[in-house]
Amino acid sequence: MRELKTIIEAYKKATTEGIKTVLATVVHVDGSSYRRPSARMLVDEYGITTGAISGGCLEGDALRKALHALVQNRNVLISYDTSDEADAVVGAQLGCEGIIQVLFEPIDQDDPINPIALLEQIINEDKPYVMLTLFNLKVKRGEQPGCTLLLKDGAKTLGSIGDSSLQEAILKDAATVFEEKRSLFRAYEEDQVTHNAFIEYFPPAVSLIIVGAGNDTQGLALMAETLGWNIYIVDGRPSHASESRFTSSCQIIVAKPEEALQNIPINEQTVFVLMTHNYQYDLSILECILPYEQVPYIGILGPKKKFDRMVNDLKDKGVTITQSQLDRMYAPIGLEIGAETPEEIAISVLAEINAVLNGTKGTFLRDKQGPIHTKENTQFDTLKI
């Protein structure tokens, strides 16, 4: 989300100054690459770039391709084969052995539903979205439709394809993407014409609720800000929970535990960290969180015996705690990386949250069998319509 925000900010600045721009998007990867599908980079007519589509190896050539697309004023699909050692542009320089498809789309500033406008709508709402990008792998010099549709809650909201049968098939697949919460690649065959589609899932932005406004939470909030997360600071002490002590992006809530969550939107991307160093406040907040089954992560600072005491105290109050709820609690909090200082603990906590949200264990990549990124979602399934 943070990268998208910087791209949108750069686009708005360029638009204000009358500068033309091109959006480069990785729409498909076959094999390995540094960045995966959905990586984006904005290029303006003066060659200024924002964002990235690789680790720096493709950006130089992508800049030239973007400016060429801007001069032609048409969408262009470029294929980078990083397994080709004879390719002077990439090849042996990357060593990833993947084929990367990058779509370049000149942005029409007068089009209210251009790709940047659609991305801006996505980041402005804490709701899941699906964006459709159409392209044709077989066309080297011809029309590439590009970003054409934005969907919310399984219904078309912005844009249109024009072909009713194709759009109907895409809407069915979009419903699957919403349900499974993962992007999908599809090839639609219609009258001997193939339409390749990247149906991209955007979850809501991560919302980090830090319960506690002590000195040790300041570093955590600052690091979470660099990830582009929404950050809430909750505490009952106005002397600690103040705007002067936290970054400008943090939303400060000074309230009693039973009132603290009333104005916080809670969804499947909302995570909690309890670290007030006030046992009774943390206990009361934990009791308020338990009914929200969609919350994937509740981290509790302190030793295991503190957590055991909290569970027992809640049971003594007649609160039923299910195994599902226990599975979402992480106490002691954080990955075991030898963290001691508040900053090291913040890294440990954020890494654990990221691992939970992505369904991983947070282990060493060197011990992982197989590729870093799974290939299961990158193959085109063909559907005849």
Side-chain angles (χ1 to χ4, degrees), residues 224-249:
E225 184 184 40
T226 66
L227 298 174
W229 293 2
N230 299 324
I231 308 165
Y232 296 82
I233 306 296
V234 175
D235 203 303
R237 301 166 294 177
S239 60
H240 288 65
S242 64
E243 294 181 356
S244 63
R245 286 171 46 80
F246 292 90
T247 61
S248 59
S249 65

Side-chain angles (χ1 to χ4, degrees), residues 154-172:
K156 180 171 71 69
T157 58
L158 290 173
S160 176
I161 297 170
D163 185 320
S164 59
S165 58
L166 176 59
Q167 182 155 304
E168 181 180 354
I170 288 172
L171 289 176
K172 289 181 180 179

Side-chain angles (χ1 to χ4, degrees), residues 18-185:
I19 299 173
K20 297 179 180 179
T21 56
V22 176
L23 183 66
T25 305
V26 177
V27 292
H28 188 256
V29 172
D30 185 7
S32 298
S33 70
Y34 184 81
R35 297 293 302 271
R36 306 302 293 169
S38 79
R40 290 176 168 85
M41 178 176 73
L42 186 75
V43 180
D44 72 22
E45 60 182 297
Y46 295 106
I48 304 300
T49 64
T50 305
I53 57 171
S54 75
C57 301
L58 299 182
E59 275 69 11
D61 186 72
L63 168 60
R64 292 186 288 270
K65 296 295 194 298
L67 295 177
H68 185 64
L70 188 60
V71 170
Q72 293 185 320
N73 193 31
R74 68 181 180 91
N75 296 346
V76 177
L77 183 71
I78 299 296
S79 177
Y80 292 100
D81 188 350
T82 63
S83 64
D84 184 0
E85 296 189 4
D87 191 329
V89 175
V90 286
Q93 299 181 38
L94 287 181
C96 294
E97 298 188 355
I99 300 175
I100 307 163
Q101 306 292 343
V102 181
L103 181 67
F104 297 87
E105 299 177 87
I107 305 300
D108 182 358
Q109 298 175 357
D110 296 325
D111 183 359
I113 56 172
N114 67 52
I116 301 293
L118 298 182
L119 289 171
E120 184 175 12
Q121 179 167 329
I122 289 171
I123 69 168
N124 284 340
E125 297 187 37
D126 287 325
K127 296 180 180 179
Y129 272 92
V130 165
M131 177 182 282
L132 168 71
T133 301
L134 287 175
F135 54 99
N136 193 326
L137 289 174
K138 297 181 180 180
V139 173
K140 299 302 180 183
R141 296 183 179 274
E143 182 178 354
Q144 296 288 348
C147 183
T148 59
L149 202 65
L150 182 68
L151 302 103
K152 177 175 65 175
D153 301 328
K156 180 171 71 69
T157 58
L158 290 173
S160 176
I161 297 170
D163 185 320
S164 59
S165 58
L166 176 59
Q167 182 155 304
E168 181 180 354
I170 288 172
L171 289 176
K172 289 181 180 179
D173 283 334
T176 300
V177 170
F178 273 111
E179 180 181 353
E180 298 183 357
K181 296 180 172 56
R182 62 183 179 88
S183 300
L184 173 70
F185 297 91

